[in-house]
Amino acid sequence: MTEPWALSIDDAAALIGRRELSAGELLASLLERINQTEERFQAWTSIDIEGAMEAARQADQDSANHRKHGWLHGIPIGVKDVIDTAGWPTEAGSRACAGRIPAADAASVAALRTAGATILGKTVTHEFAYGQNTPPTRSPWGLDRYPGGSSAGSGVAVAAGHVPGALGTDTAGSIRNPAAVNGIVGLRPTTGLVNTDGLVGLSPRLDQVGPIARSVTDCTLLLAGLVDDAVRHRLGNGDDPVRALRNRAASHDSVRVGVDRASWAESGVTADVIAVLEEAVEDLRRNGAHIVEVSLPELRIGLPITLVFCLLDASEKYRTLLAARAADMAPGTRVMFELGLVVTDADLDLALNARRFLQQTLRRAFEEHRLTALASPTLPAVAPRLADLATDLTRDGEAADLSGALLLLSPSNVCGLPGLSLPCGKAGGLPVGMHLLGRPFDDLDLLALGYRYEQETPWKTMKPDCWQSVGGEIDLP
Amino acid sequence: MTETSGLEDARLAAIGAVVGGDILAADRPALDEAYANLVGGLDRLRQVPLVGEPGRAFTVGWDS
């Protein structure tokens, strides 16, 4: 039998539902897995063992009484440390927030608890989710490799088998980026779909909370746990999210996927990643999708729009903290907050206009070509070595530079569109992610497209070497 | 203050008023570089055609 820690959310929930696995057994297996590997990966800022054990006990008691809370009954979940958890530290990866303990759960955390999830602990984030510092988290694909960001801990915890799913936040790609480098799946939902109250965020214009998991099915289950009933029905996956996903995927014979290869080149996508994406696009075609060549050079303005929104909104939000605790912030983060202080109303007007322009451009392209999604690489290169990584978000892209990723991912945030990253192959032994940008509130269509791709390709089973070592030493480079 | 970065005295003063002179001095090189990149980004935004009414509320959906 598969070790409980290695189970998907879907499978674990089914076993718990049939009482063939208890929530306590699942939790114990995950805690043992964390105990074996956390020293190397450092995915967590804190683990609420007592709280999780109590929640698991309650879940098992409820199971015995035939009371099931939801699709996530008894499933342990990690939560990025910018998302509030009642009575448990939420420090946003910053010394300036050390000791901060929120009184209430963020709306997303409360929703997951209502759906039956056990909140296992808080995962490492770049400071304030800004991606400017270097957290201690290390990639299970290579300790010297970039583990993703800013939801680095959530991505690594899921990829390393510490937890079957986690919450991340995505202001400019911070869910999809760690999903890509860790060989897993991440969804940045449509803006407004998930309640972001209780988020130590950067920009309400750009921020979104979303799921990170090892399959599209599990992301769908997490998303269903994050939204309320009305939204779930609007999405079309009301009563049984997995069945709705499969039904939607089965009806996808005439799906149309746009590809803008020129934008890949302009974003500095490396030749090895392009080769993997070409194969992925061919797999989509073989799988029934109609591939449509599109030209969208306007996507490049997503980066400067993001920059203006992020700088301005974050500096407004953290101005008081900056004045009081500047010395406790990492220099890179502090510089971003400082720079935001000089962004003017005229600069904001430019960005607002450009956002309308980009939205109209994308809408026109999706409608003219009747697209379900626009496919691209998630990142322009495989995970760079940490020693080679530049983190300046204001620059306009090079291969080992995070800003190249922003060119590909930021249009989703700027226009509020759903973006899904899922594994589509390897280059140089490291995972490559495919990004699917979708129509607003058509998140289920996007997931269905990803699900169908996932079912017809081997990449869902792609795991780092440490996955094989259960209860023993991990072999890492 | 020098004018080499384009970050003029008034803007530097605004930052210094929040973080203090010592931290501003320490951050200045990175701030200058980041500001130059921001200015480049704003130049690109100025090239975008005007669309609709300034300040109009943004709606995520495409229904309208």
Side-chain angles (χ1 to χ4, degrees):
Chain A
M1 175 187 166
T2 304
E3 292 286 335
W5 63 261
L7 290 168
S8 67
I9 293 174
D10 191 25
D11 288 343
L15 289 169
I16 290 172
R18 295 196 299 269
R19 300 190 64 193
E20 294 172 18
L21 173 73
S22 73
E25 289 168 338
L26 175 60
L27 176 63
S29 178
L30 291 166
L31 288 172
E32 176 62 18
R33 174 73 178 166
I34 292 170
N35 191 44
Q36 291 167 358
T37 60
E38 171 62 3
E39 188 177 356
R40 293 193 178 188
F41 300 142
Q42 300 187 58
W44 300 84
T45 62
S46 62
I47 296 178
D48 182 9
I49 295 176
E50 286 186 16
M53 290 179 73
E54 175 54 33
R57 268 194 300 272
Q58 186 64 51
D60 286 333
Q61 189 176 325
D62 289 344
S63 292
N65 294 327
H66 305 287
R67 287 174 51 208
K68 184 185 173 190
H69 291 291
W71 303 284
L72 303 174
H73 185 92
I75 304 296
I77 300 296
V79 175
K80 184 179 180 180
D81 200 31
V82 294
I83 304 172
D84 282 351
T85 40
W88 194 256
T90 303
E91 299 176 331
S94 180
R95 284 192 300 151
C97 292
R100 179 180 177 276
I101 299 178
D105 279 334
S108 52
V109 171
L112 287 187
R113 290 194 207 269
T114 300
T118 294
I119 304 304
L120 182 51
K122 307 304 284 288
T123 56
V124 172
T125 175
H126 282 77
E127 188 175 32
F128 292 106
Y130 230 142
Q132 300 288 292
N133 61 322
T134 304
T137 305
R138 293 293 174 262
S139 169
W141 290 91
L143 297 179
D144 61 342
R145 294 283 172 174
Y146 171 60
S150 63
S151 309
S154 289
V156 168
V158 170
H162 290 183
V163 74
L167 291 188
T169 64
D170 193 316
T171 305
S174 287
I175 287 173
R176 296 160 286 163
N177 168 327
V181 297
N182 286 294
I184 54 178
V185 183
L187 173 71
R188 189 262 181 218
T190 299
T191 296
L193 210 59
V194 178
N195 187 333
T196 56
D197 288 351
L199 177 64
V200 186
L202 287 171
S203 169
R205 289 178 241 258
L206 303 169
D207 294 339
Q208 186 57 284
V209 176
I212 296 175
R214 292 192 291 267
S215 70
V216 171
T217 302
D218 283 1
C219 272
T220 304
L221 282 165
L222 278 172
L223 180 65
L226 283 167
V227 301
D228 61 29
D229 288 345
V231 172
R232 202 156 40 244
H233 282 283
R234 182 176 177 188
L235 279 175
N237 64 350
D239 296 329
D240 184 337
V242 175
R243 188 170 60 197
L245 175 73
R246 290 171 182 161
N247 288 343
R248 190 68 65 97
S251 68
H252 259 192
D253 284 336
S254 58
V255 70
R256 295 166 66 87
V257 177
V259 172
D260 178 13
R261 291 182 171 84
S263 74
W264 303 357
E266 288 170 9
S267 301
V269 181
T270 57
D272 54 352
V273 169
I274 286 178
V276 171
L277 253 293
E278 292 290 3
E279 185 62 30
V281 168
E282 189 52 36
D283 283 338
L284 284 170
R285 189 199 310 274
R286 275 195 290 265
N287 200 19
H290 184 70
I291 305 300
V292 183
E293 301 285 342
V294 299
S295 176
L296 286 164
E298 300 88 349
L299 291 176
R300 286 188 75 81
I301 63 171
L303 175 57
I305 300 169
T306 299
L307 191 57
V308 171
F309 287 166
C310 207
L311 291 173
L312 183 66
D313 293 344
S315 69
E316 282 183 3
K317 179 165 184 162
Y318 297 111
R319 184 188 180 105
T320 303
L321 191 66
L322 182 65
R325 305 288 297 270
D328 288 326
M329 295 178 182
T333 313
R334 192 171 64 219
V335 165
M336 293 292 100
F337 288 162
E338 291 168 348
L339 189 58
L341 295 170
V342 301
V343 174
T344 66
D345 288 346
D347 299 336
L348 176 61
D349 285 342
L350 287 173
L352 291 170
N353 176 68
R355 176 169 65 170
R356 289 192 293 271
F357 175 76
L358 184 57
Q359 184 191 43
Q360 288 186 7
T361 302
L362 279 167
R363 177 179 183 170
R364 197 161 40 240
F366 269 78
E367 290 183 346
E368 180 183 339
H369 299 291
R370 291 177 285 122
L371 303 179
T372 293
L374 187 65
S376 73
T378 305
L379 299 176
V382 296
R385 294 186 194 283
L386 285 165
D388 299 334
L389 186 68
T391 56
D392 182 352
L393 297 183
T394 66
R395 289 197 300 159
D396 194 344
E398 296 167 13
D401 187 317
L402 289 179
S403 57
L406 297 183
L407 291 170
L408 295 162
L409 303 181
S410 62
S412 158
N413 304 78
V414 166
C415 296
L417 307 178
L420 176 71
S421 179
L422 71 168
C424 69
K426 284 187 189 177
L430 295 168
V432 172
M434 174 165 61
H435 186 246
L436 299 171
L437 178 72
R439 293 169 174 258
F441 301 105
D442 280 351
D443 300 55
L444 187 61
D445 265 330
L446 203 60
L447 288 162
L449 177 60
Y451 174 80
R452 191 158 165 158
Y453 174 83
E454 187 179 77
Q455 295 304 305
E456 299 296 329
T457 57
W459 308 117
K460 185 174 81 167
T461 59
M462 178 169 69
K463 299 286 189 299
D465 289 344
C466 69
W467 196 262
Q468 303 302 325
S469 52
V470 181
E473 283 299 305
I474 312 156
D475 296 318
L476 288 169
Chain B
M1 299 291 180
T2 66
E3 290 296 321
T4 52
S5 73
L7 247 179
E8 70 273 20
D9 288 354
R11 293 187 182 208
L12 287 169
I15 298 169
V18 175
V19 299
D22 290 347
I23 285 178
L24 175 59
D27 291 346
R28 183 73 192 273
L31 194 54
D32 284 345
E33 186 180 347
Y35 182 71
N37 291 329
L38 172 63
V39 169
L42 291 169
D43 284 343
R44 292 195 356 238
L45 295 182
R46 284 189 190 92
Q47 295 163 24
V48 175
L50 283 175
V51 178
E53 294 295 317
R56 194 190 70 190
F58 180 78
T59 305
V60 170
W62 289 351
D63 298 335
S64 58

